[in-house]
Amino acid sequence: KAVVSTQSGHYGRGVGELVLLFCISSIMARLVLALSSLLLVVCSDPTVYLREDFADGDAWSSRWIQSEHEGKTFGKLGLSAGEFFHDEAKDTGLKTLENARFYGVSAALTTPVESTEGKTLVVQFSVKHEQKIDCGGGYLKLFPSSLNPTDLHGDAPYNIMFGPDICGPSARRVHVIFNYRGNNLLLKKEIRCKDDELTHLYTLIVRADNTYEVRIDNKKEQSGKLEEDWDFLEPKETPDPDATQPEDWDDNPFLDDPEDVKPEDWEQPETIPDPDAKKPADWDDDMDGEWEPPVIDNPDFKGEWRPKQIDNANYQGEWEPAMIANPKYFEDDKLYLQKDIKYVGIDIWQVKSGSIFDNILITDDEDFARNVAKETFEESAKGEKEKKEEKDEVERKKREDERKAREAEEAAAEADDEEEDDIEDDESAFAEDADIESAGAGDEATDPEEEAEVNSIKEDVKDEL
């Protein structure tokens, strides 16, 4: 018994050790699998179809081709960070330079998009409307390989149009337009764009599950399903074109009350002779004809009588034709799919120039795009805003100083005018006094009695001599 017991103890410990080893092995396997998956994610680089930050100076003009489409005068573009920025080198972008112009330039993608099947597509860029734009575009277009860059124009077919568009105070929206089977489809939801003078980042994400997201300044502004927010597909059902309304269909919600009777005193003339009118005293019946009083509106006139309306118990509602399967409908579970994207372009019109495009990114990785936004836009946005506020404060102080100087000049001018008026009043008073004295002296010289007395004295003196 002792031997058996000892063997059983060894057997029990062996099974326990095996179970423990199995558990450890299972945990290690799961850990290895998790690490492998993590390593796969870390090691899988995003596909960057294009990244343009205009950081190599004038070399941009060798990549961006100017359209020469006949019949249009295109505006010039140049590099600029604008009047206020965080880091001039990093914040330099492509700026529109001429007012009231079309702009048409495009650049080839570093890696053309052959197909986005099973992938995400991200389009991201920043634009700053430093000119206080009131009418003009700030969007990008993605073009297929069929585009001739030197013939880019507004009617050139494109795959996607995305970005802000401003025309007046009410039309300030973000466009998201997809070309589907030759038709340009507009987003049915409204996304309001930013319209201040700062840089803003616009991001479009189109996912392989047929959903989308629009982000502004790296924050979600709109999202949903492609099929619901664009008219990609025809409706599954359509009204039967051959259906007709039955003859006995009652679509009148009300009917005349059969028990309602017209009152006996209802009928009254619309006008009556004016009871206050009187025949003129000089009216001659032989010459003027029989006199008739003028007519006036009858206050008792009630118009045409109509019976009261009551609910129609047989009302069947508005007739609608039966719905049948729409022969034009077809299913498409790949509405997201984009094929053949080779160029990105700026194809816009602006009344007032000054927009700066920068940090254009086209990729298949949302996280990569967000990280780029943090490294570029978010880093620069705070510093740019501070510089803008400093600039605004300087301009405010300048306007305040100019206002004070203007008010001081006006006050000084007003004081001078009052002093001149006082001097003129004093001179006028002096002149009046002088006139009075002069007039008094003249009166004394011409007084005949005094003159006679003076002459008498002169005669007496002569006699004594």
Side-chain angles (χ1 to χ4, degrees), residues 295-312:
V295 296
I296 59 173
D297 292 336
N298 184 358
D300 296 326
F301 177 70
K302 301 177 183 179
E304 181 183 358
W305 181 85
R306 292 180 180 178
K308 293 188 299 183
Q309 297 289 291
I310 60 174
D311 292 336
N312 182 1

Side-chain angles (χ1 to χ4, degrees), residues 164-178:
D165 188 22
I166 294 174
C167 190
S170 58
R172 296 170 181 261
R173 62 176 61 89
V174 176
H175 282 303
V176 186
I177 302 177
F178 293 105

